[in-house]
Amino acid sequence: MEKVSEQTTQQTNTRTGYFTLLFAIVIGSFSSILIRFAQGEGVSSLTIAALRLTLAALILTPLVLRQYGDQLRALSRRQIMWSSAAGFWLAMHFVNFISALEHTTVLITMVLVTTSTLWVAGLEMIFLKSRPKRLVWLGMFSAIVGGIVIALSGNLSAGVGDNPLLGIGLSVAGAASVAVYLFIGRQVQSELSLVPYIWLVYSAGAISALVVAVIGGAPFTGYEPAGYFWVAMVTIFPQLLGHSSINLAL
């Protein structure tokens, strides 16, 4: 009876995980469009990256302090270190990904950024000595072929951006960065509740992105209200709902 109960629970968790991933994909697919709207209002890419993480962390702060204070006080140095490292790489993902949208199309950027699953599989094989099953290899192959088909079927007559090579490089860097973020997150995520974990990660990412934005001379004031509105939309939907759902599924 216990085995049957465990199998039923595992099957339920698996279905929930797949549903959560599907939800994250749908919500996350709006990210590039919303970012483009913000960029169209003149908001700097580095500003968008920094504000996206900063606002997300600030929104979660009251909830975390009120309901998860005990977990925060019980954090070990190792947990803080791994969470901070994950946050740094998440910030690098947004800095590269959002900057890429300045130089090439949404289509090319998203096709390359979403190759992160291939990077994750590679990291697992190298560092965790995992051996992907046939379905994983099939999925990786399908992702590569699908990406090529989508890219080649795009409306190239509309142009590929003012500096497509730079955009491609930043997109690939964004894919690699988010793969490291997910890989590192596995080290500590199972030990913490979802909300305090993503708060730690978003806070560390916000600090990293703010440092990059300040060094890059990106302004945080002087934009039109519409620019801040689109940044808020990016924060609420792709960030708080989309990225948080990915962590929940993981």
Side-chain angles (χ1 to χ4, degrees):
M1 290 294 292
E2 290 183 359
K3 289 184 178 180
V4 173
S5 178
E6 289 178 0
Q7 290 176 351
T8 302
T9 301
Q10 185 175 6
Q11 291 173 353
T12 301
N13 289 339
T14 300
R15 287 194 295 269
T16 302
Y18 284 132
F19 176 80
T20 304
L21 280 176
L22 177 61
F23 175 80
I25 291 170
V26 173
I27 295 296
S29 66
F30 289 94
S31 179
S32 294
I33 303 299
L34 296 174
I35 290 169
R36 268 294 179 84
F37 286 155
Q39 290 173 334
E41 296 295 333
V43 184
S44 164
S45 295
L46 297 182
T47 302
I48 296 172
L51 288 181
R52 173 178 185 163
L53 287 165
T54 301
L55 292 175
L58 290 175
I59 291 171
L60 291 173
T61 296
L63 174 62
V64 172
L65 296 180
R66 185 172 62 251
Q67 296 189 12
Y68 299 94
D70 291 341
Q71 287 195 35
L72 294 181
R73 286 187 289 271
L75 287 172
S76 66
R77 183 176 300 178
R78 183 186 67 84
Q79 290 172 329
I80 295 174
M81 180 190 70
W82 282 115
S83 299
S84 299
F88 169 79
W89 285 107
L90 180 62
M92 295 305 100
H93 162 66
F94 287 134
V95 166
N96 287 302
F97 157 53
I98 296 174
S99 297
L101 289 168
E102 288 187 10
H103 304 289
T104 190
T105 64
V106 169
L107 176 64
I108 292 175
T109 299
M110 290 307 297
V111 165
L112 293 174
V113 166
T114 51
T115 61
S116 55
T117 51
L118 307 180
W119 292 84
V120 169
L123 289 172
E124 287 191 345
M125 285 187 284
I126 294 172
F127 293 101
L128 300 181
K129 308 302 181 183
S130 67
R131 296 182 179 180
K133 297 180 181 180
R134 289 183 179 180
L135 283 177
V136 175
W137 285 111
L138 178 61
M140 293 169 64
F141 176 76
S142 300
I144 294 172
V145 173
I148 293 174
V149 170
I150 292 172
L152 293 179
S153 63
N155 184 13
L156 297 181
S157 62
V160 293
D162 61 355
N163 194 339
L165 288 180
L166 177 58
I168 289 171
L170 290 170
S171 299
V172 172
S177 299
V178 78
V180 176
Y181 150 68
L182 291 171
F183 183 77
I184 290 177
R186 291 184 56 178
Q187 306 301 319
V188 68
Q189 188 168 342
S190 61
E191 303 171 7
L192 296 174
S193 300
L194 174 67
V195 175
Y197 171 74
I198 62 175
W199 178 77
L200 285 169
V201 171
Y202 294 171
S203 297
I207 294 171
S208 301
L210 285 169
V211 170
V212 173
V214 170
I215 294 175
F220 289 89
T221 60
Y223 301 114
E224 294 294 326
Y228 292 111
F229 169 79
W230 291 120
V231 172
M233 292 299 99
V234 172
T235 301
I236 294 170
F237 293 102
Q239 186 63 42
L240 285 175
L241 295 179
H243 269 271
S244 300
S245 295
I246 292 174
N247 283 285
L248 176 60
L250 183 62

